[in-house]
Amino acid sequence: MDIRAIQFRSTGGPEMLEEVRLAVPAPGPGEALVRHTAIGVNFIDTYHRSGVYPATLPAVPGVEAAGIVEAVGEGVAHVAPGDRVVYFCAVPGAYCEARTLDARWLVKLPDGIADEEAAAAWLKACTVEFLVERCAKVGAGDHVVVTAAAGGVGLLLCRWLSEIGATVIAITSSPAKAELARAAGAHHSLSYSDMPGTVRAITGGRGAEIVLDGVGRATFEAALDSLAKRGLLVSFGNASGKVGPVDFGLLATKGSLFTTRPTLFDYYATPEDFTAGTARVFAMWPKLRITIGQRYPLAEAARCHADLEARATTGSALLIP
Ligand code: NDP
């Protein structure tokens, strides 16, 4: 089968993304062929394209989509042709009309969840699930600082955290984004320059128990300075660049702090993790009220990446094949 796809031959800016035609192989044992109806865009796609994370060239970016199963290979029993499915996966290749992939990533969609909603939030909601419940183990009453709080992951963090009784301190770069974060359940919304001073004022001088930071290099020190003694920084992304070499002693001088740099795939590494994590995400789904901030035709993937990297998007972005 011949399909349209977005590919980059060498790493670089959004202009590296070009439309090509590719052949999709029939599914082998354990695989399925999925025709995409909506493709989720994630910041990690820009890391693959720019070379921040390694990619085997030429490469098709994208790690998340929803669609219809067209065919399955030998040994695949949990999905069948005609099923509506969503997936995230460790192997990029989702920016295309259809792909063949390891069927273990595929999850059947219940009738109540539309394809676009699923593609917009599946990877991001699973990320929020592991960050909040299994990595940071947030409890009711904890003060949690969320940076990039009006982004795809950010808005879902605000909704999930407020739902479980945490006090959410949202950090965003504009008043319009601050308003979105508040509408998603954040109790306080601040600008980056308010970290750490206003975070300390809100917490009676103590600092927050937890900072969930996807911005990386630009916010690392301010995030540590926003924490209470023995607080936890979960540094889960590099939207502003990777956190550079760190003086480990900072964790001592700033209050016996903890920090971790987790990834989704380590928390969804076993079938047991996957089953329990995705069940929890489906249970929380009605509370998440997914925000699709922008849709782009698949052919305009470069414009989508440029917007994402210019901080011009809010909520989730989709590519429509
Ligand atoms: P977002 O929709 O959140 O977009 C990124 C946001 O980061 C921007 O909107 C912007 O919000 C903020 N930002 C701050 N500085 C910069 C900068 N220099 N350039 C661009 N953006 C900047 O993206 P996602 O929801 O897809 O991802 C959010 C973060 O979560 C990313 O770092 C991503 O890598 C990470 N992630 C990590 C996972 C993991 O397993 N560890 C899994 C999924 C996502 P503002 O203008 O408000 O600052």
Side-chain angles (χ1 to χ4, degrees):
M1 184 203 289
D2 204 31
I3 51 109
R4 286 187 306 125
I6 299 295
Q7 194 182 61
F8 55 101
R9 289 175 213 275
S10 47
T11 55
E15 69 283 359
M16 293 297 154
L17 299 176
E18 55 177 8
E19 192 174 316
V20 293
R21 292 204 77 85
L22 295 176
V24 180
E31 293 183 332
L33 169 59
V34 179
R35 177 162 289 280
H36 294 154
T37 49
I39 300 155
V41 176
N42 292 282
F43 216 90
I44 192 174
D45 307 341
T46 71
Y47 304 149
H48 288 134
R49 189 216 69 228
S50 66
V52 171
Y53 292 171
T56 308
L57 301 174
V60 174
V63 289
E64 172 176 49
I68 315 256
V69 176
E70 293 228 322
V72 296
E74 197 187 316
V76 175
H78 72 295
V79 291
D83 283 347
R84 279 190 328 118
V85 292
V86 67
Y87 71 86
F88 66 77
C89 69
V91 182
Y95 284 19
C96 60
E97 291 176 311
R99 77 184 285 199
T100 294
L101 77 166
D102 186 333
R104 284 176 296 186
W105 296 109
L106 301 180
V107 174
K108 272 208 251 197
L109 276 175
D111 288 343
I113 300 181
D115 293 18
E116 286 200 356
E117 192 189 322
W122 183 241
L123 181 149
K124 297 172 186 73
C126 291
T127 299
V128 169
E129 178 276 322
F130 95 75
L131 286 174
V132 171
E133 306 215 333
R134 291 186 282 142
C135 180
K137 299 185 171 69
V138 178
D142 283 345
H143 288 85
V144 184
V145 175
V146 176
T147 57
V153 172
L155 284 180
L156 296 178
L157 276 173
C158 292
R159 295 211 164 100
W160 195 301
L161 288 164
S162 60
E163 188 61 33
I164 64 169
T167 298
V168 183
I169 305 173
I171 313 292
T172 62
S173 63
S174 73
K177 288 185 176 186
E179 186 50 44
L180 283 175
R182 273 197 300 274
H187 302 83
H188 306 272
S189 50
L190 317 177
S191 65
Y192 288 91
S193 58
D194 293 330
M195 285 174 79
T198 310
V199 173
R200 287 213 175 267
I202 289 167
T203 53
R206 290 187 315 278
E209 283 79 14
I210 296 159
V211 176
L212 300 176
D213 177 55
V215 171
R217 185 189 298 151
T219 41
F220 183 71
E221 289 247 1
L224 294 181
D225 287 334
S226 300
L227 283 167
K229 285 194 195 314
R230 305 196 300 272
L232 170 68
L233 166 60
V234 180
S235 177
F236 65 92
N238 344 290
S240 68
K242 284 185 181 174
V243 175
V246 172
D247 172 5
F248 202 53
L250 277 180
L251 300 180
T253 55
K254 292 184 186 288
S256 301
L257 304 178
F258 295 82
T259 190
T260 178
R261 175 59 178 89
T263 72
L264 172 69
F265 297 108
D266 286 331
Y267 279 82
Y268 277 75
T270 66
E272 294 74 25
D273 288 342
F274 195 86
T275 304
T278 56
R280 179 72 179 129
V281 168
F282 276 129
M284 284 292 279
W285 197 273
K287 313 280 187 195
L288 298 179
R289 290 179 286 125
I290 314 305
T291 306
I292 301 174
Q294 41 283 305
R295 294 174 177 79
Y296 302 80
L298 176 61
E300 295 182 27
R303 183 164 66 87
C304 176
H305 275 211
D307 288 349
L308 197 58
E309 290 172 292
R311 307 165 84 159
T313 64
T314 54
S316 301
L318 286 178
L319 296 176
I320 307 300

